[in-house]
Amino acid sequence: MDSFSGKIAVVTGGGTGMGRSLCQALAKAGCHVALCDVVEENMAETRALCEANDGVRISTHLCDVSIESDMIKFQTEVAETHGDSIDLLFNNAGIGGGGGFVAGEREEWEKTFAVCWYGVYYGCRVFLPMLMRSAEAHIVNTSSVNGFWASLGPNVPHTAYAAAKFAVKGFSEALITDLRLNAPHISVSVVMPGH
C-alpha cells in the first residue's frame, strides 16, 4: 500500500498508547479512522488529536474486544459510518496482567488472554468481509516480545499474556498462507513491540 490517503482504517485500543499514536499517524497521512476502546474519555481525546487533520473522518466506538457481540456491534457501526469496506485493520488492543496459571486468579487470567488473543481473532473474523471488499487491504496484529520469550524473569509468572501473544504471532504467520491462497489482495503483518 503506497499511500494511506483516503483509506479507511480500523484501530482497536485506540484510546491510549500505541493505538492513539497509530490513529494520529494515520489521520496525519489522510486516512479515515474508526477506533474503539473501553474508555470513552480516552477516545474523545484521541479523536480531538486526529481531527486536527483536515479532511479525515474519525469515529469512536465503545467496545470490549474480548466480547464477540461487542465486536460485531463495532463492525456494524463502522459499516454504517464509513461504508461497506475497509482497507486497514489494526488489532492493537491489549492489556497486561493475568500473571500465574498456578497461583493466579482464573478470572484475571482469562480476561488477559481474551483481550490479547480473542480481540485479534474476533477483529479478523468480524472485519474480514469488509477487508474482502477492498481492492487492497492489510491486517496488522500486535503481539509482543513476549510472543518470542514467555518470561519477565525467573521470579514473575506471566502465562496469560505470553500464551496470548504466542497465539497472535502463530495465527498471523499462518494467516499469510491462508490469505495468499484465499484472498491474495489482503496481506498481514505481526508487530512484536518490546520494553
Side-chain angles (χ1 to χ4, degrees):
M1 192 170 294
D2 295 328
S3 170
F4 296 133
S5 182
K7 304 287 189 200
I8 300 169
V10 167
V11 179
T12 66
T16 58
M18 290 188 333
R20 176 176 286 168
S21 294
L22 268 171
C23 292
Q24 288 180 270
L26 290 162
K28 186 176 182 181
C31 189
H32 308 292
V33 179
L35 67 115
C36 79
D37 205 287
V38 292
V39 180
E40 289 190 53
E41 296 80 16
N42 293 344
M43 286 191 296
E45 189 174 334
T46 299
R47 181 180 192 150
L49 291 166
C50 292
E51 287 179 337
N53 301 280
D54 291 334
V56 294
R57 191 169 54 254
I58 310 296
S59 63
T60 60
H61 308 269
L62 195 61
C63 174
D64 180 337
V65 299
S66 71
I67 301 171
E68 187 174 18
S69 59
D70 275 19
M71 288 294 281
I72 292 168
K73 180 176 178 279
F74 176 35
Q75 183 274 334
T76 300
E77 291 172 359
V78 170
E80 290 169 355
T81 304
H82 296 274
D84 68 350
S85 70
I86 62 168
D87 307 292
L88 297 153
L89 172 61
F90 293 88
N91 288 307
N92 167 75
I95 59 172
F101 183 79
V102 176
E105 300 269 338
R106 180 174 177 166
E107 184 176 291
E108 182 187 358
W109 199 101
E110 290 181 355
K111 183 63 174 184
T112 299
F113 187 84
V115 170
C116 293
W117 159 242
Y118 278 106
V120 172
Y121 173 75
Y122 293 147
C124 288
R125 276 281 177 214
V126 303
F127 285 104
L128 183 62
M130 295 181 79
L131 292 161
M132 294 286 284
R133 287 190 282 272
S134 177
E136 176 188 27
H138 200 98
I139 300 167
V140 180
N141 295 327
T142 301
S143 180
S144 165
V145 294
N146 291 126
F148 287 124
W149 302 285
S151 175
L152 287 180
N155 299 313
V156 181
H158 197 55
T159 55
Y161 186 82
K165 294 305 186 175
F166 266 82
V168 171
K169 179 180 179 285
F171 171 71
S172 300
E173 290 178 358
L175 198 54
I176 293 169
T177 301
D178 200 337
L179 291 169
R180 180 177 49 79
L181 294 173
N182 297 298
H185 67 293
I186 306 173
S187 54
V188 61
S189 299
V190 61
V191 179
M192 310 289 287
H195 303 290

